[in-house]
Amino acid sequence: MTSLAPLWSPRSVAVLGVSRNPAKLGHRLLKNVLDGGFAGSVFPVNPSGEPILGLPTVAKVADLPPDIDLALVSLPGPEVLAAVKGLAVRRVKVAVILSSGFGEVDAEGRQLQTELRAAAAESGMRLVGPNCMGVYSNPARLNGTYFWDLPRTAGGISVVSQSGAYGGLIIRHLGSLGLGLSKFLSIGNQVDLEIADLLDDLAEDQETTLIAAFIESVRDGMRFVQAARKATKRKPLVVLKGGRTEAGRRAAGSHTGALAGTFEVYQAAFKKAGIVACVETEEFFDAIQCLAAHGRQSPKGRGVAIVTVSGGPSVIAADTAEAVGLTVPALPPSVRQRLGKLLPSFAALGNPVDLTPQVDPAAIAEAARLVLSQEDIAGAVVINVGLDLPEFADGLIEASRSVGKPLVACAVDVPAVAEKFKAAGVPVYPTPERAVRAYRALALAGQERESAATPKPPLRLPAALHQLLETGRGPLPYDAARRVLTAYGVPFCREGRCASVAEALRAAKRLGFPIVVKAERPGLLHKTEAQAVKVDVRTPGELQAACQEMAKRLGPGPFLIQQQVKRGVELLIGGKRDPTFGPVVVCGTGGILTEALGDVSLCLAPLDPEDARGMLKEGLKGRLLQGVRGMPPCDPEPLVKILLAVSRLLTDHPRIVELDLNPVIAAGKKALAVDALLILGASET
């Protein structure tokens, strides 16, 4: 990618669409450039050629000097293409098209965008927008936006927003907190420069210490992930994704398609890239504030201490911490004993630690240091409601600095305490929930891990299976899907495919009762819903009755006779091919309640073993695998192998669009698949 220095640090700027009418956006744009204090050359373009705002103008683009760094285009939509062609002739390096009426409107607008890009590409000119609010660079003192009241506090936060209006909301909020802005770009329709280009550039930018982005969509998912990972290795990246509801394609008949919606895949991509992902505006703003305050001082782990003089709010904080994926580790008896000597007899010592309002102010620092020095405590959320005791803040700040672990505060009706925290760079929030979620942003920013996953050479399959995957389309027959998955190392229960009741009886004798009877019919994707499954069949008579009933209701056809796997934890393991991000592996609580429970984890392929183990620890399935209600815990490693096999299969064969293993039954040290669905898409050209 070419350098974006002409965008952020231009020496010369052309402004197209300038008007003498102060009510026009073109007039406001030029005034913003001048009022911002831009020190480079400014060339307004207006058909009259008369001076505007004290500057001489040129009547047309062809009259501009060559090699201008940046052009700001604020023209009616129909005039933009000709202007871009003229700018390309003048060898302008970057053009920001603030005009609207393009791809966001209709097919004709999308075609016009294509022509814009082609016109710029001939000269190597880069385009921003169209349909955007412009560019701001504090180091260059450039306000090339329609916003006239941007905060001018210098700082290290750079903002990229697909929505111009939402970008304005972000930077105004930063101004209200006194946080400094380095750069802002509204990228609009991303006809050329897109979010990945900006992340690549800002990752290298020495003046940017934190990137905040509002995203509605990305074009090239894999490139976005690569650019975001590059950025998060060097500085925090916090993202708010607009459009959380599933409006995209869900493949008919697939559990995976029903569970792995567009927003869920974006969340998986954000996690893979080390992004701090937020789901609402307040959380997004709080995360920016917290990350800006702490910089690169992030917790090294998920364990958090809750330290308070306000018992009730600390309970809410602990509940919220567990809900967002943090842990609140209990303090060991030795530490509790030492705390007991420092604090009132009725203090809570376990974590949350309630110092109580009766605490000796002189003991606060030592008590806090005891808590924060524990190995499984990575930082603290501190809460003070109504006890304006400056020593509370002093003691926590001193302890935090002595052990090198971060603090986030909730301070209500305690102005002296709040002021001391703010002066020390500790972010302060008005509720315990917001403080905990802001702390979570720190924890996420500190957990960047370089994935060890590297694509392996495609597995060599028998010729018949390879041909099937190359030429088949739609759902494969179960037998074929099983053979493909078995070749990749997925273990299945023992079974037999039987054309008649007599064959079914022989298979049952071989497998041993009890057994499971399933009807095999073309197009029958989910057997349970069609009442094509009979479990716990214990006698030949029950088997014969089940086969006859299914044949009567579903028509003649083969039966699948399976061993009845011992009771265990039922999981869904599968995958889908996302149109933006490529292959995605899915793991959730399985069985007949898969969609109802909605307990699902997603990860972009390829997976490494730690990715797989992490998926198995999340949500309800994580608790089930640890053993509940007398069930023994399940060894995760057989499930890890299945997840890695699915990942490799999806990576090897791009024509696989969706895949279900539901259920996979895990018990003790074994995991077996008992059903499979594999769907192939159209041939790639």
Side-chain angles (χ1 to χ4, degrees):
M1 189 189 77
T2 56
S3 169
L4 296 185
L7 175 68
W8 302 126
S9 304
R11 294 162 298 178
S12 53
V13 174
V15 185
L16 282 63
V18 174
S19 171
R20 291 191 297 275
N21 183 349
K24 299 289 188 179
L25 288 174
H27 183 94
R28 168 52 63 184
L29 183 61
L30 177 61
K31 191 173 190 305
N32 287 348
V33 172
L34 299 178
D35 289 350
F38 178 64
S41 302
V42 180
F43 301 98
V45 181
N46 178 275
S48 72
E50 297 176 359
I52 298 177
L53 291 174
L55 287 180
T57 67
V58 299
K60 53 187 183 296
V61 170
D63 295 334
L64 288 169
D67 300 312
I68 288 175
D69 283 334
L70 176 65
L72 304 173
V73 181
S74 180
L75 291 165
E79 300 178 22
V80 171
L81 179 57
V84 166
K85 290 179 177 178
L87 294 172
V89 171
R90 305 309 294 156
R91 300 192 301 276
V92 170
K93 297 180 179 64
V94 179
V96 177
I97 304 171
L98 293 86
S99 314
S100 58
F102 295 88
E104 77 279 8
V105 175
D106 53 24
E108 184 178 346
R110 289 190 288 275
Q111 176 59 36
L112 186 54
Q113 281 187 182
T114 301
E115 294 176 33
L116 287 174
R117 185 171 185 174
E122 291 182 7
S123 69
M125 179 172 65
R126 304 308 305 265
L127 298 180
V128 175
N131 186 35
C132 73
M133 293 292 281
V135 58
Y136 172 83
S137 174
N138 189 287
R141 301 178 68 186
L142 171 69
N143 181 7
T145 76
Y146 288 143
F147 301 122
W148 61 89
D149 56 350
L150 293 180
R152 298 190 182 184
T153 304
I157 303 174
S158 289
V159 176
V160 182
S161 178
Q162 199 165 342
S163 161
Y166 202 93
L169 189 65
I170 297 170
I171 54 185
R172 284 187 174 86
H173 183 74
L174 298 181
S176 72
L177 296 174
L179 296 175
L181 182 66
S182 178
K183 297 174 178 68
F184 163 75
L185 187 68
S186 168
I187 56 176
N189 296 359
Q190 304 180 86
V191 65
D192 175 23
L193 283 174
E194 54 185 298
I195 182 68
D197 297 311
L198 276 300
L199 295 181
D200 264 335
D201 186 80
L202 293 172
E204 303 278 357
D205 181 29
Q206 298 299 311
E207 292 157 342
T208 297
T209 57
L210 165 65
I211 306 170
F214 174 80
I215 295 174
E216 294 171 356
S217 64
V218 299
R219 282 201 298 263
D220 185 337
M222 296 309 295
R223 182 162 175 264
F224 167 81
V225 170
Q226 292 168 357
R229 290 190 66 159
K230 173 183 173 182
T232 57
K233 288 178 184 178
R234 307 180 186 193
K235 57 198 70 174
L237 168 58
V238 57
V239 167
L240 177 64
K241 167 73 171 68
R244 285 180 283 169
T245 57
E246 171 60 31
R249 180 193 62 84
R250 290 178 184 265
S254 166
H255 291 297
T256 298
L259 292 169
T262 299
F263 179 69
E264 290 81 7
V265 176
Y266 267 89
Q267 293 294 93
F270 295 158
K271 183 175 181 180
K272 190 85 166 182
I275 291 170
V276 178
C278 301
V279 297
E280 59 182 27
T281 298
E282 185 177 75
E283 180 190 10
F284 181 56
F285 288 169
D286 287 348
I288 294 171
Q289 178 187 355
C290 193
L291 291 164
H294 283 290
R296 295 300 281 174
Q297 186 197 20
S298 296
K300 306 306 179 187
R302 290 290 180 107
V304 60
I306 313 288
V307 182
T308 182
V309 289
S310 315
S314 71
V315 177
I316 297 298
D319 289 343
T320 305
E322 296 283 357
V324 300
L326 302 171
T327 63
V328 187
L331 298 176
S334 60
V335 174
R336 298 173 68 171
Q337 185 178 26
R338 294 169 66 186
L339 285 173
K341 296 177 181 179
L342 294 169
L343 303 176
S345 60
F346 46 87
L349 308 178
N351 193 19
V353 177
D354 185 358
L355 306 177
T356 78
Q358 290 77 24
V359 64
D360 178 359
I364 293 175
E366 185 177 351
R369 192 160 39 247
L370 268 174
V371 174
L372 283 171
S373 63
Q374 299 308 299
E375 186 175 353
D376 54 358
I377 299 293
V381 173
V382 298
I383 303 171
N384 190 324
V385 178
L387 182 64
D388 203 11
L389 183 68
E391 290 87 349
F392 177 83
D394 291 336
L396 268 300
I397 292 166
E398 179 185 331
S400 169
R401 288 173 175 170
S402 68
V403 300
K405 295 179 181 180
L407 299 179
V408 174
C410 167
V412 182
D413 293 332
V414 284
V417 168
E419 188 55 41
K420 280 185 172 286
F421 278 136
K422 290 175 182 176
V426 177
V428 177
Y429 299 95
T431 69
E433 294 94 336
R434 287 177 63 180
V436 169
R437 291 190 183 103
Y439 179 92
R440 171 183 170 271
L442 277 184
L444 289 175
Q447 287 194 337
E448 183 243 330
R449 177 181 65 84
E450 183 64 39
S451 174
T454 53
K456 297 180 179 179
L459 187 70
R460 292 181 64 87
L461 292 173
L465 289 182
H466 180 79
Q467 179 71 9
L468 182 63
L469 290 176
E470 290 296 310
T471 61
R473 185 164 184 181
L476 290 185
Y478 167 77
D479 181 61
R482 173 181 167 139
R483 284 186 287 127
V484 169
L485 288 156
T486 300
Y488 271 81
V490 175
F492 280 78
C493 64
R494 295 167 57 230
E495 62 186 27
R497 191 170 186 270
C498 307
S500 66
V501 174
E503 285 186 17
L505 289 168
R506 289 194 292 272
K509 183 177 181 180
R510 184 178 72 254
L511 296 173
F513 289 99
I515 59 165
V516 176
V517 181
K518 297 180 179 179
E520 281 287 289
R521 302 290 188 276
L524 186 60
L525 302 185
H526 294 300
K527 300 178 182 66
T528 301
E529 287 84 341
Q531 299 180 15
V533 178
K534 180 71 173 177
V535 301
D536 203 29
V537 176
R538 294 183 170 270
T539 68
E542 290 181 10
L543 169 59
Q544 186 170 2
C547 291
Q548 290 172 344
E549 190 278 330
M550 289 181 190
K552 181 179 180 180
R553 187 163 39 82
L554 300 172
F559 300 99
L560 190 66
I561 308 302
Q562 294 181 323
Q563 71 170 122
Q564 183 157 303
V565 179
K566 292 181 180 179
R567 182 182 176 211
V569 177
E570 294 190 0
L571 297 179
L572 160 73
I573 293 178
K576 65 175 282 186
R577 190 158 310 274
D578 184 79
T580 301
F581 293 99
V584 182
V585 178
V586 179
C587 180
T589 305
I592 62 174
L593 296 178
T594 292
E595 281 93 351
L597 292 172
D599 170 49
V600 62
S601 301
L602 280 68
C603 189
L604 301 192
L607 270 63
D608 68 17
E610 285 307 304
D611 291 327
R613 294 184 188 108
M615 295 174 76
L616 294 169
K617 291 176 182 177
E618 294 176 350
L620 174 62
K621 60 187 170 297
R623 297 192 293 275
L624 292 174
L625 292 171
Q626 291 174 7
V628 294
R629 296 187 66 85
M631 293 179 64
C634 300
D635 184 352
E637 293 310 303
L639 294 167
V640 168
K641 291 179 181 178
I642 295 174
L643 285 165
L644 294 177
V646 167
S647 170
R648 189 175 183 187
L649 176 58
L650 290 168
T651 304
D652 284 358
H653 297 282
R655 294 191 63 245
I656 298 176
V657 293
E658 294 192 18
L659 162 64
D660 281 353
L661 296 167
N662 186 33
V664 172
I665 300 177
K669 294 184 176 297
K670 291 185 178 180
L672 295 174
V674 300
D675 203 357
L677 172 64
L678 196 157
I679 303 175
L680 297 175
S683 299
E684 294 189 340
T685 57

